Amino acid sequence: MKAIDLCVKPRSIEDFKGIAETAIRLGYKALVIETDDPSKFREAGKEMGIKVLARTTIRPHSKTDLLRALQTIKGYDVIAVESKSAEVIRHAARDSRVDVIVLAPTMSRYMDRSEARLLRQGGGLIEFWLSRLLTTSGPRPWRRLRSLMIIARRALAYQASLAVSSCARSLWELWHPRSIVSLLVTLGIPEVHAKTIVYVNPLKLVSSKGISL
Amino acid sequence: MQPSMLMLIIAIFTSLGLALGLMLLLYIVHRYDQRLRILEAQYSRIIDWNKRVSYALAKALESSEADEVLRRLRRKARRRYIVFVVLSEEKYSPETLSKAIEEKVKELGGLLGAAEANVQLVYYDLKRDVGILRTNYHAKHLVLAALSLVRRIGSNRVMVIPLATTGTIKRAKVIASQIPS
């Protein structure tokens, strides 16, 4: 199966090379990189044999911030929105220009039936970053795991599309797709749905952009 | 016949008629009451019978489930062998690695989960950093998830990559031998 990591944040081209090499070993076919200058990463990816897409994550504080940012952003394959305001997230969910909505562990309760309906209207994905499970700062580890559990279970219950990405800064933060599936299964998601979350949903997003792997 | 006599006779007959009508009504009410009680008794008997039937059915179901559990207990425990490769900044002994994995399984699944998983490092090639873990079939996903949480041993960074899951150690060793160093 073709796996895509929807969020990788290398700090330098050397970091990227390490990430790309390991990602190929883990079975990833494409990486979506968050960077200001995607061209050099695209070239490096092409040399190494892995498709590189560019993404940006905007962090608006209000609805006007969101609309202003969406009007100015150009040249990215994937546009993600992360906000601590429920109002902003609701607007982003409805907007067809927004591809991904990043939910922080503290926003897990936000994932409800009406939000799922809005997401279906806009055609976006809910995203959870696994790097948040590996950090030692912030809420206690079991709380972060619980937030992933709540987001995944609710997304499944209300038929919203969910994606789980590593958001790795270095190769040491990458996750094997099978490990993500197992983690989701351990958290109570049926295996078939866990596989959809890991393999199908990111592929659907990339295909909707007209990019083939 | 005098009119007063006639009136008296009519009054007697009327009161007799009324009394008879009243008695008839009382009789009907009494019979109706009796019938109602009989019906109530029959109804409660049916309810009671239904309760007994559903209790018996539940017990039968329980015993069939218990039979299924017993059948599963009698069966030989199914195992899974996970072939993995370790990426690390430093080389580790199998004991250190095994301890780190066990710790993570315990952290993620708790003591009961760890007991169910019964993780054992059955093979480890120090040259190629390839290993095989044995675990219970039902705890496969827990162990795979725990492997991905092993990110540090001491102060060094580590990554455990699961490559394949097999049902026999023979097949696992074949897969492990095919991995280049």
Side-chain angles (χ1 to χ4, degrees), chain A residues 24 37-38 78 80 87 101-102 107 127 130 138 148-149 162 167 179 196 207-208:
Chain A
I24 291 166
D37 180 22
V78 176
E87 191 205 350
I101 287 168
V102 183
M107 296 287 286
E127 190 185 38
L130 288 171
L148 171 61
M149 187 167 79
L162 174 75
C167 221
S179 297
T196 306
S207 306
S208 71

PDB file of all heavy atoms in Angstrom, chain A residues 24 37-38 78 80 87 101-102 107 127 130 138 148-149 162 167 179 196 207-208:
ATOM      1  N   ILE A  24      11.830   6.250   2.932  1.00  0.00           N
ATOM      2  CA  ILE A  24      11.826   5.252   1.841  1.00  0.00           C
ATOM      3  C   ILE A  24      11.932   3.846   2.446  1.00  0.00           C
ATOM      4  O   ILE A  24      11.222   2.927   2.054  1.00  0.00           O
ATOM      5  CB  ILE A  24      12.975   5.530   0.847  1.00  0.00           C
ATOM      6  CG1 ILE A  24      12.699   6.828   0.079  1.00  0.00           C
ATOM      7  CG2 ILE A  24      13.168   4.379  -0.126  1.00  0.00           C
ATOM      8  CD1 ILE A  24      13.888   7.379  -0.678  1.00  0.00           C
ATOM      9  N   ASP A  37      10.595  27.274   1.561  1.00  0.00           N
ATOM     10  CA  ASP A  37      11.214  27.125   0.245  1.00  0.00           C
ATOM     11  C   ASP A  37      11.191  25.655  -0.175  1.00  0.00           C
ATOM     12  O   ASP A  37      12.146  24.902   0.056  1.00  0.00           O
ATOM     13  CB  ASP A  37      12.663  27.656   0.323  1.00  0.00           C
ATOM     14  CG  ASP A  37      13.366  27.539  -1.008  1.00  0.00           C
ATOM     15  OD1 ASP A  37      12.670  27.452  -2.043  1.00  0.00           O
ATOM     16  OD2 ASP A  37      14.617  27.525  -1.019  1.00  0.00           O
ATOM     17  N   PRO A  38      10.077  25.216  -0.785  1.00  0.00           N
ATOM     18  CA  PRO A  38       9.965  23.773  -1.092  1.00  0.00           C
ATOM     19  C   PRO A  38      10.810  23.314  -2.276  1.00  0.00           C
ATOM     20  O   PRO A  38      11.073  22.119  -2.396  1.00  0.00           O
ATOM     21  CB  PRO A  38       8.477  23.594  -1.384  1.00  0.00           C
ATOM     22  CG  PRO A  38       7.954  24.933  -1.734  1.00  0.00           C
ATOM     23  CD  PRO A  38       8.859  25.955  -1.151  1.00  0.00           C
ATOM     24  N   VAL A  78      -0.686  21.593  -0.101  1.00  0.00           N
ATOM     25  CA  VAL A  78      -1.619  21.309   1.008  1.00  0.00           C
ATOM     26  C   VAL A  78      -1.661  22.525   1.937  1.00  0.00           C
ATOM     27  O   VAL A  78      -0.617  23.043   2.340  1.00  0.00           O
ATOM     28  CB  VAL A  78      -1.171  20.047   1.797  1.00  0.00           C
ATOM     29  CG1 VAL A  78      -2.070  19.804   2.992  1.00  0.00           C
ATOM     30  CG2 VAL A  78      -1.149  18.830   0.891  1.00  0.00           C
ATOM     31  N   ALA A  80      -3.006  23.764   5.572  1.00  0.00           N
ATOM     32  CA  ALA A  80      -3.526  23.286   6.857  1.00  0.00           C
ATOM     33  C   ALA A  80      -3.835  24.477   7.757  1.00  0.00           C
ATOM     34  O   ALA A  80      -3.220  25.537   7.628  1.00  0.00           O
ATOM     35  CB  ALA A  80      -2.501  22.393   7.522  1.00  0.00           C
ATOM     36  N   GLU A  87     -14.309  28.823  16.695  1.00  0.00           N
ATOM     37  CA  GLU A  87     -14.986  29.559  15.618  1.00  0.00           C
ATOM     38  C   GLU A  87     -14.148  29.508  14.329  1.00  0.00           C
ATOM     39  O   GLU A  87     -14.675  29.250  13.244  1.00  0.00           O
ATOM     40  CB  GLU A  87     -15.195  31.006  16.057  1.00  0.00           C
ATOM     41  CG  GLU A  87     -16.129  31.777  15.133  1.00  0.00           C
ATOM     42  CD  GLU A  87     -15.890  33.268  15.174  1.00  0.00           C
ATOM     43  OE1 GLU A  87     -15.143  33.733  16.050  1.00  0.00           O
ATOM     44  OE2 GLU A  87     -16.444  33.960  14.308  1.00  0.00           O
ATOM     45  N   ILE A 101      -7.223  20.196   8.826  1.00  0.00           N
ATOM     46  CA  ILE A 101      -7.388  20.941  10.074  1.00  0.00           C
ATOM     47  C   ILE A 101      -6.633  20.184  11.164  1.00  0.00           C
ATOM     48  O   ILE A 101      -6.910  19.003  11.422  1.00  0.00           O
ATOM     49  CB  ILE A 101      -8.872  21.097  10.428  1.00  0.00           C
ATOM     50  CG1 ILE A 101      -9.480  22.110   9.462  1.00  0.00           C
ATOM     51  CG2 ILE A 101      -9.066  21.578  11.859  1.00  0.00           C
ATOM     52  CD1 ILE A 101     -10.928  22.193   9.466  1.00  0.00           C
ATOM     53  N   VAL A 102      -5.666  20.854  11.729  1.00  0.00           N
ATOM     54  CA  VAL A 102      -4.828  20.201  12.744  1.00  0.00           C
ATOM     55  C   VAL A 102      -5.498  20.405  14.103  1.00  0.00           C
ATOM     56  O   VAL A 102      -5.770  21.531  14.503  1.00  0.00           O
ATOM     57  CB  VAL A 102      -3.414  20.819  12.757  1.00  0.00           C
ATOM     58  CG1 VAL A 102      -2.539  20.093  13.751  1.00  0.00           C
ATOM     59  CG2 VAL A 102      -2.798  20.764  11.373  1.00  0.00           C
ATOM     60  N   MET A 107      -7.823  20.235  21.968  1.00  0.00           N
ATOM     61  CA  MET A 107      -9.044  20.496  21.196  1.00  0.00           C
ATOM     62  C   MET A 107      -9.806  19.211  20.863  1.00  0.00           C
ATOM     63  O   MET A 107     -10.681  19.220  20.000  1.00  0.00           O
ATOM     64  CB  MET A 107      -8.691  21.210  19.883  1.00  0.00           C
ATOM     65  CG  MET A 107      -8.080  22.570  20.032  1.00  0.00           C
ATOM     66  SD  MET A 107      -9.269  23.800  20.549  1.00  0.00           S
ATOM     67  CE  MET A 107     -10.176  24.028  19.047  1.00  0.00           C
ATOM     68  N   GLU A 127      -6.397  16.268  11.225  1.00  0.00           N
ATOM     69  CA  GLU A 127      -5.047  15.699  11.347  1.00  0.00           C
ATOM     70  C   GLU A 127      -4.575  15.714  12.804  1.00  0.00           C
ATOM     71  O   GLU A 127      -4.874  16.658  13.554  1.00  0.00           O
ATOM     72  CB  GLU A 127      -4.079  16.515  10.492  1.00  0.00           C
ATOM     73  CG  GLU A 127      -2.715  15.879  10.367  1.00  0.00           C
ATOM     74  CD  GLU A 127      -1.736  16.764   9.614  1.00  0.00           C
ATOM     75  OE1 GLU A 127      -1.770  17.993   9.804  1.00  0.00           O
ATOM     76  OE2 GLU A 127      -0.940  16.216   8.847  1.00  0.00           O
ATOM     77  N   LEU A 130       1.700  12.983  15.491  1.00  0.00           N
ATOM     78  CA  LEU A 130       2.242  11.992  16.428  1.00  0.00           C
ATOM     79  C   LEU A 130       3.456  12.515  17.200  1.00  0.00           C
ATOM     80  O   LEU A 130       3.809  11.969  18.239  1.00  0.00           O
ATOM     81  CB  LEU A 130       2.614  10.706  15.686  1.00  0.00           C
ATOM     82  CG  LEU A 130       1.425   9.880  15.207  1.00  0.00           C
ATOM     83  CD1 LEU A 130       1.890   8.771  14.300  1.00  0.00           C
ATOM     84  CD2 LEU A 130       0.640   9.301  16.366  1.00  0.00           C
ATOM     85  N   GLY A 138       4.426  19.633  27.963  1.00  0.00           N
ATOM     86  CA  GLY A 138       2.976  19.683  27.783  1.00  0.00           C
ATOM     87  C   GLY A 138       2.244  18.746  28.714  1.00  0.00           C
ATOM     88  O   GLY A 138       2.795  18.337  29.744  1.00  0.00           O
ATOM     89  N   LEU A 148      -5.755  11.584  21.350  1.00  0.00           N
ATOM     90  CA  LEU A 148      -5.729  10.902  20.050  1.00  0.00           C
ATOM     91  C   LEU A 148      -6.868   9.881  19.977  1.00  0.00           C
ATOM     92  O   LEU A 148      -7.552   9.751  18.957  1.00  0.00           O
ATOM     93  CB  LEU A 148      -4.371  10.207  19.838  1.00  0.00           C
ATOM     94  CG  LEU A 148      -4.272   9.279  18.620  1.00  0.00           C
ATOM     95  CD1 LEU A 148      -4.520  10.027  17.322  1.00  0.00           C
ATOM     96  CD2 LEU A 148      -2.926   8.593  18.559  1.00  0.00           C
ATOM     97  N   MET A 149      -7.068   9.187  21.097  1.00  0.00           N
ATOM     98  CA  MET A 149      -8.118   8.164  21.162  1.00  0.00           C
ATOM     99  C   MET A 149      -9.492   8.803  20.918  1.00  0.00           C
ATOM    100  O   MET A 149     -10.288   8.307  20.110  1.00  0.00           O
ATOM    101  CB  MET A 149      -8.076   7.511  22.543  1.00  0.00           C
ATOM    102  CG  MET A 149      -8.978   6.334  22.711  1.00  0.00           C
ATOM    103  SD  MET A 149      -8.543   5.456  24.210  1.00  0.00           S
ATOM    104  CE  MET A 149      -9.301   6.462  25.432  1.00  0.00           C
ATOM    105  N   LEU A 162     -10.002  11.316   8.852  1.00  0.00           N
ATOM    106  CA  LEU A 162      -8.909  11.578   9.798  1.00  0.00           C
ATOM    107  C   LEU A 162      -7.592  11.125   9.174  1.00  0.00           C
ATOM    108  O   LEU A 162      -7.556  10.127   8.457  1.00  0.00           O
ATOM    109  CB  LEU A 162      -9.163  10.815  11.110  1.00  0.00           C
ATOM    110  CG  LEU A 162      -8.064  10.863  12.164  1.00  0.00           C
ATOM    111  CD1 LEU A 162      -8.041  12.213  12.866  1.00  0.00           C
ATOM    112  CD2 LEU A 162      -8.253   9.771  13.205  1.00  0.00           C
ATOM    113  N   CYS A 167       4.795  14.444  11.642  1.00  0.00           N
ATOM    114  CA  CYS A 167       5.277  15.810  11.857  1.00  0.00           C
ATOM    115  C   CYS A 167       6.712  15.762  12.418  1.00  0.00           C
ATOM    116  O   CYS A 167       7.058  16.484  13.370  1.00  0.00           O
ATOM    117  CB  CYS A 167       4.356  16.588  12.760  1.00  0.00           C
ATOM    118  SG  CYS A 167       4.161  18.240  12.163  1.00  0.00           S
ATOM    119  N   SER A 179       3.065   0.734  12.370  1.00  0.00           N
ATOM    120  CA  SER A 179       3.038   1.081  13.798  1.00  0.00           C
ATOM    121  C   SER A 179       1.871   2.017  14.101  1.00  0.00           C
ATOM    122  O   SER A 179       1.241   1.907  15.148  1.00  0.00           O
ATOM    123  CB  SER A 179       4.329   1.786  14.201  1.00  0.00           C
ATOM    124  OG  SER A 179       5.406   0.940  14.025  1.00  0.00           O
ATOM    125  N   THR A 196      -7.520   2.620   6.720  1.00  0.00           N
ATOM    126  CA  THR A 196      -8.079   3.717   5.910  1.00  0.00           C
ATOM    127  C   THR A 196      -7.478   5.045   6.359  1.00  0.00           C
ATOM    128  O   THR A 196      -7.109   5.880   5.531  1.00  0.00           O
ATOM    129  CB  THR A 196      -9.613   3.756   6.062  1.00  0.00           C
ATOM    130  OG1 THR A 196     -10.114   2.488   5.757  1.00  0.00           O
ATOM    131  CG2 THR A 196     -10.249   4.794   5.151  1.00  0.00           C
ATOM    132  N   SER A 207      -4.509  12.813  -4.234  1.00  0.00           N
ATOM    133  CA  SER A 207      -5.130  12.566  -5.542  1.00  0.00           C
ATOM    134  C   SER A 207      -6.088  13.692  -5.909  1.00  0.00           C
ATOM    135  O   SER A 207      -6.195  14.052  -7.088  1.00  0.00           O
ATOM    136  CB  SER A 207      -5.900  11.242  -5.528  1.00  0.00           C
ATOM    137  OG  SER A 207      -5.059  10.221  -5.117  1.00  0.00           O
ATOM    138  N   SER A 208      -6.781  14.255  -4.912  1.00  0.00           N
ATOM    139  CA  SER A 208      -7.741  15.334  -5.194  1.00  0.00           C
ATOM    140  C   SER A 208      -7.024  16.593  -5.711  1.00  0.00           C
ATOM    141  O   SER A 208      -7.638  17.455  -6.312  1.00  0.00           O
ATOM    142  CB  SER A 208      -8.556  15.663  -3.939  1.00  0.00           C
ATOM    143  OG  SER A 208      -7.736  16.311  -3.000  1.00  0.00           O
TER     144      SER A 208
END
